[in-house]
């Protein structure tokens, strides 16, 4: 872009598409929650047949299918009254893999309920505290991320760091910051039985869920504890510390990064998975993920930090700011790697 401008179609058309996308997010949420996508993936069906497959009211299913057909998500043969979900669409709306993007609709709709509180924060400062997002956000976020961990964590995140698999296979002490419901820790504990894994989180429900899952799976090398990581002790020292999409939410992110460096062995690894943006707005123009993630920042990541008087880094703190802060914490070697997800990157930080 020579002059910082891009060719633009009529704004009224763009605005229509924005509002349409917002409404379709609600429709995707309904399709996911009610099992309509999974039922449609079983094969073509009439509206009545699809309603019977899902034990839903036909009239509602009919109107929902109208949205799906006109949005070109479903195909429709009017002469036979048959609706079908194309296989290539079903791949992104059904199943238990990370390709299923339907669960994202639940998170985006959940953010919408906090708009009034965020508007008040625009007017008076502060923010919406993290506690206001419980328990739904923890549940909805886990629904998205556990698929990513199952599909990508061991090979595509950890596997991209030279020498890390060898260290974990030999036996290492690993800490996860902001462990949520613990699924990432439990995936790693299962893959590397000689290593010992601990997850720290502020959510009592998340800690309980992680410990329950570890016990159910017989993972004696995984455990979870309540911990405010702004008070992370410097002992014991850890071989590996991970933070999955959690540092930018912190009230005191620089203090947390400083504490991580203090708790890490001098030959250890700090692995930070975060969103792949630049720190300056102009450098994100043209990034198709940027508008949504600035919005997510306002409706969750930035506001929960500001609610506690925090730094309010936000979702789009960016590679430039993140690298600066990690280096300020005492990590002299910082490498930023691509992840299997285009909206995320991997920071590999060593003292």
């Amino acid at each position: 872009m020579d002059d910082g401008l891009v060719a633009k179609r009529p704004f009224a058309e763009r605005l229509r598409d924005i509002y349409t996308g917002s409404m379709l997010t609600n429709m995707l949420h309904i399709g996911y929650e009610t099992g309509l996508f999974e039922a449609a993936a079983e094969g073509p069906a009439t509206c009545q047949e699809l309603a019977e497959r899902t034990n839903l009211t036909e009239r509602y299913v009919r109107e929902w299918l109208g949205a799906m057909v006109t949005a070109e998500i479903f195909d429709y043969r009017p002469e036979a009254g048959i609706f079908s979900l194309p296989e290539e669409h079903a791949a992104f709306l059904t199943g238990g893999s990370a390709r299923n993007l339907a669960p994202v609709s639940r998170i985006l709709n959940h953010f919408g309920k906090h708009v009034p509180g965020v508007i008040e924060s625009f007017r008076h400062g502060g923010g919406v505290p993290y506690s206001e997002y419980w328990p739904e956000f923890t549940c909805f976020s886990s629904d998205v991320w556990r698929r990513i961990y199952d599909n990508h964590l061991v090979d595509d995140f950890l596997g991209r760091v030279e020498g890390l698999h060898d260290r974990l296979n030999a036996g290492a002490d690993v800490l996860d910051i902001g462990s949520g419901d613990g699924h990432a820790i439990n995936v790693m504990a299962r893959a590397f039985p000689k290593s010992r894994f601990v997850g720290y989180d502020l959510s009592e429900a998340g800690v309980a869920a992680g410990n329950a899952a570890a016990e159910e799976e017989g993972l004696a090398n995984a455990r979870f504890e309540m911990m405010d990581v702004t008070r992370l002790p410097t002992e014991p020292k850890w071989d590996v510390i991970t933070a999955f999409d959690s540092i930018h939410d912190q009230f005191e992110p620089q203090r947390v990064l400083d504490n991580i460096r203090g708790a890490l062995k001098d030959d250890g690894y700090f692995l930070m998975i975060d969103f792949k943006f630049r720190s300056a707005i102009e450098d994100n123009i043209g990034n198709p993920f940027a508008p949504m993630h600035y919005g997510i920042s306002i409706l969750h990541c930035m506001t929960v930090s500001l609610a506690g008087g925090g730094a309010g880094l936000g979702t789009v703190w960016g590679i430039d700011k993140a690298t600066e802060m990690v280096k300020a914490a005492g990590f002299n070697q910082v490498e930023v790697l691509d992840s299997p997800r285009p909206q995320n990157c991997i920071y590999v930080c060593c003292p």
Side-chain angles (χ1 to χ4, degrees):
M1 296 184 297
D2 294 335
D3 56 2
L5 298 176
V6 295
K8 297 179 180 179
R9 58 194 174 95
F11 181 67
E13 292 182 11
R14 289 192 59 236
L15 198 57
R16 176 204 61 203
D17 290 348
I18 289 167
Y19 288 140
T20 299
S22 175
M23 189 56 66
L24 286 173
T25 299
N26 287 281
M27 297 301 103
L28 292 173
H29 185 181
I30 290 170
Y32 178 65
E33 289 281 1
T34 60
L36 278 162
F37 290 130
E38 297 291 343
E42 295 174 13
T46 65
C47 177
Q48 183 61 43
E49 288 168 342
L50 196 55
E52 290 172 357
R53 286 181 193 176
T54 52
N55 196 29
L56 298 172
T57 303
E58 185 273 344
R59 181 65 186 94
Y60 280 93
V61 173
R62 192 191 332 157
E63 206 76 358
W64 181 83
L65 284 168
M68 292 298 100
V69 170
T70 56
E72 300 182 351
I73 296 171
F74 275 55
D75 290 338
Y76 180 48
R77 301 205 318 267
E79 71 283 358
I82 297 293
F83 300 86
S84 58
L85 180 62
E87 186 176 344
E88 63 270 27
H89 297 187
F92 293 99
L93 293 170
T94 63
S97 79
R99 293 183 70 189
N100 184 356
L101 300 178
V104 175
S105 65
R106 297 208 297 173
I107 296 180
L108 297 181
N109 281 341
H110 173 64
F111 290 157
K113 74 180 255 188
H114 297 288
V115 167
V118 170
I119 289 173
E120 286 303 302
S121 300
F122 267 79
R123 291 174 173 149
H124 307 295
V128 179
Y130 192 44
S131 59
E132 292 293 316
Y133 290 82
W134 294 348
E136 296 96 336
F137 177 74
T138 301
C139 174
F140 298 161
S141 179
S142 174
D143 192 18
V144 172
W145 275 96
R146 66 175 41 243
R147 300 162 188 267
I148 298 167
Y149 296 143
D150 286 341
N151 289 179
H152 298 302
L153 177 53
V154 173
D155 293 333
D156 299 323
F157 286 127
L158 304 180
R160 296 197 177 191
V161 182
E162 185 176 355
L164 184 53
H165 269 199
D166 290 340
R167 190 154 182 176
L168 293 171
N169 280 320
D173 291 305
V174 182
L175 172 65
D176 184 40
I177 299 293
S179 53
D181 72 350
H183 194 63
I185 280 285
N186 288 333
V187 167
M188 291 189 287
R190 192 185 316 125
F192 303 103
K194 291 185 178 180
S195 288
R196 299 153 296 280
F197 297 87
V198 177
Y200 286 161
D201 201 275
L202 281 174
S203 167
E204 184 176 354
V207 167
N211 280 321
E215 183 176 356
E216 183 178 346
E217 292 189 51
L219 298 172
N221 60 333
R223 61 183 173 86
F224 301 87
E225 300 177 7
M226 295 276 291
M227 172 66 74
D228 178 354
V229 291
T230 63
R231 296 177 173 83
L232 182 69
T234 56
E235 295 292 338
K237 299 290 187 187
W238 303 89
D239 295 291
V240 181
I241 299 179
T242 59
F244 298 100
D245 188 25
S246 62
I247 296 299
H248 64 260
D249 290 342
Q250 300 292 326
F251 297 156
E252 300 179 79
Q254 188 63 64
R255 182 175 177 181
V256 171
L257 290 170
D258 293 346
N259 290 348
I260 288 171
R261 172 61 191 97
L264 190 70
K265 293 180 180 178
D266 287 340
D267 62 347
Y269 297 87
F270 170 45
L271 218 64
M272 183 172 71
I273 312 301
D274 217 292
F275 289 105
K276 185 181 179 181
F277 296 105
R278 304 311 299 244
S279 299
I281 292 174
E282 61 270 24
D283 293 332
N284 292 321
I285 295 172
N287 184 328
F289 293 101
M292 182 170 70
H293 285 79
Y294 277 113
I296 289 172
S297 183
I298 290 171
L299 293 176
H300 181 262
C301 301
M302 184 183 77
T303 196
V304 299
S305 176
L306 292 175
L313 283 178
T315 316
V316 197
W317 59 323
I319 290 172
D320 315 270
K321 183 66 174 178
T323 301
E324 173 190 321
M325 292 178 66
V326 168
K327 287 185 174 180
F331 292 98
N332 297 313
Q333 303 175 55
V334 181
E335 186 177 11
V336 183
L337 306 177
D338 287 334
S339 86
R341 290 161 48 80
Q343 65 269 52
N344 292 115
C345 60
I346 307 166
Y347 296 84
V348 184
C349 313
C350 300

